[in-house]
Amino acid sequence: MLIFRWLASLLLLGSALCFVFYLGTGQARYKRWGLLVLKWTVVAALAFFAVLIFGRIV
């Protein structure tokens, strides 16, 4: 659990940094990277919670 929390926090921080770089430089690649990292963070979180719910059901 602790590892997942740290991983999710670091991924969100990385996404935020990408958006800050985008605001600072105006380069679209940072926005794409930020959205990509954010998307996979949400996917990973949904998978994690699905496993927790499945574990409770079974």
Side-chain angles (χ1 to χ4, degrees):
M1 280 297 246
L2 184 62
I3 292 172
F4 176 76
R5 288 183 200 161
W6 276 102
L7 183 62
S9 298
L10 290 174
L11 284 170
L12 287 174
L13 179 66
S15 179
L17 283 174
C18 285
F19 288 125
V20 168
F21 284 148
Y22 169 68
L23 289 174
T25 63
Q27 294 182 10
R29 68 179 171 164
Y30 292 120
K31 183 173 78 170
R32 279 193 312 257
W33 288 351
L35 288 173
L36 184 69
V37 171
L38 184 63
K39 177 182 80 169
W40 284 108
T41 303
V42 170
V43 168
L46 289 175
F48 175 74
F49 287 119
V51 168
L52 283 180
I53 292 170
F54 183 72
R56 289 266 189 180
I57 291 173
V58 172

